[in-house]
Amino acid sequence: MRNELLQERATKQDLECDKISLERQNKDLKSRILHLEGSYRSSKEGLVVQMEARILELEERLENEERDRANLQVSNRRLERKVKELVLQVDDEHLSLTDQKDQLSLRLKAMKRQVEEAEEEIDRLESAKKKLQRELEEQVDMNDQLQGQLTAMKKELSRRKKSPSKILTDFDEDDDFSTDGESLYEAPSGYKFSKEDDTKS
């Protein structure tokens, strides 16, 4: 009985030791579980915070992109209006230039016609000038001839003054003297015509 009692006590002590060891292990396991739960919770919370920050960043970027897109659309509409205005302005300027070109063409044709008329008038005046020059040369030759005749007549008159009776006789015999005298002072018809043409031109 004593031996059995001693064995039971030894067994009981072993069981107590095992119990204490198990309880210690249990506490260690609980502390480790609590530590793991805290680490998981903290890591989970950190991940959530990171995800929320990322979501906020993406939302902000999306808002900025939408704002930029709206600004670009407004700019594009403005540019489209500006392009339309420029196209209309270019069309108006093209029409204006076309009208100016037509007007300049008409003015150029009119000026060409005026130049042709002026050239024709110059040719006509040149012809008239040449004709007048020929008539003038003829008149100069005629004047030279008349001057020679006048000189000869003067010499004849001065010679006849020395004998008056002979002069009267010569006047009776020479009927062409009065005619020649008139021819000395009468201008030829060609010379009168040339002066009238010169006055008209």
Side-chain angles (χ1 to χ4, degrees):
M1 291 292 293
R2 177 181 274 180
N3 290 328
E4 290 178 358
L5 182 60
L6 289 173
Q7 287 179 356
E8 288 178 2
R9 285 181 179 178
T11 303
K12 185 177 181 181
Q13 287 179 354
D14 292 334
L15 291 173
E16 288 289 336
C17 290
D18 292 336
K19 181 180 178 181
I20 293 169
S21 177
L22 290 172
E23 288 178 352
R24 188 181 297 114
Q25 290 178 1
N26 190 15
K27 288 181 180 180
D28 292 337
L29 290 173
K30 285 182 178 179
S31 62
R32 288 180 65 183
I33 289 170
L34 291 174
H35 178 70
L36 290 173
E37 287 179 353
S39 298
Y40 176 74
R41 189 180 294 110
S42 60
S43 62
K44 183 179 180 181
E45 291 177 354
L47 183 61
V48 170
V49 171
Q50 290 178 0
M51 293 298 293
E52 289 177 352
R54 182 65 177 170
I55 290 170
L56 291 174
E57 182 182 357
L58 292 174
E59 288 178 351
E60 186 176 358
R61 286 180 59 183
L62 181 61
E63 290 177 357
N64 292 329
E65 290 179 356
E66 288 179 353
R67 191 182 304 110
D68 294 337
R69 182 180 178 183
N71 292 329
L72 287 174
Q73 289 178 353
V74 173
S75 300
N76 288 332
R77 285 195 292 270
R78 289 178 180 175
L79 289 174
E80 288 176 356
R81 287 197 299 270
K82 187 67 176 178
V83 168
K84 289 180 181 179
E85 291 175 358
L86 290 174
V87 169
L88 292 175
Q89 184 178 357
V90 168
D91 292 337
D92 294 337
E93 290 179 355
H94 180 69
L95 292 175
S96 178
L97 289 174
T98 303
D99 294 337
Q100 291 179 4
K101 182 180 178 182
D102 295 337
Q103 292 178 1
L104 288 174
S105 298
L106 293 175
R107 289 179 62 185
L108 183 61
K109 290 179 180 179
M111 291 177 67
K112 285 182 178 179
R113 187 166 57 252
Q114 292 177 358
V115 168
E116 291 175 354
E117 292 176 355
E119 289 178 350
E120 292 176 356
E121 183 66 18
I122 289 170
D123 294 336
R124 188 183 67 79
L125 292 175
E126 286 291 334
S127 299
K129 180 180 177 182
K130 290 179 181 178
K131 182 179 179 181
L132 289 174
Q133 286 179 348
R134 287 194 301 271
E135 292 177 354
L136 180 61
E137 290 174 355
E138 293 175 356
Q139 186 63 37
V140 169
D141 294 337
M142 188 177 293
N143 286 337
D144 291 338
Q145 293 177 2
L146 292 175
Q147 187 68 32
Q149 292 178 4
L150 181 61
T151 302
M153 293 296 294
K154 284 181 179 180
K155 289 180 180 179
E156 183 68 21
L157 286 173
S158 62
R159 186 178 63 79
R160 290 182 181 183
K161 282 180 181 180
K162 297 177 181 179
S163 57
S165 59
K166 186 176 180 182
I167 292 173
L168 293 174
T169 305
D170 291 336
F171 272 121
D172 293 336
E173 292 177 356
D174 193 1
D175 294 334
D176 294 334
F177 177 76
S178 61
T179 306
D180 293 337
E182 290 177 358
S183 65
L184 290 174
Y185 297 103
E186 287 180 358
S189 60
Y191 176 69
K192 291 180 182 180
F193 178 73
S194 63
K195 288 182 68 63
E196 288 177 0
D197 291 339
D198 192 9
T199 304
K200 290 179 181 181
S201 61

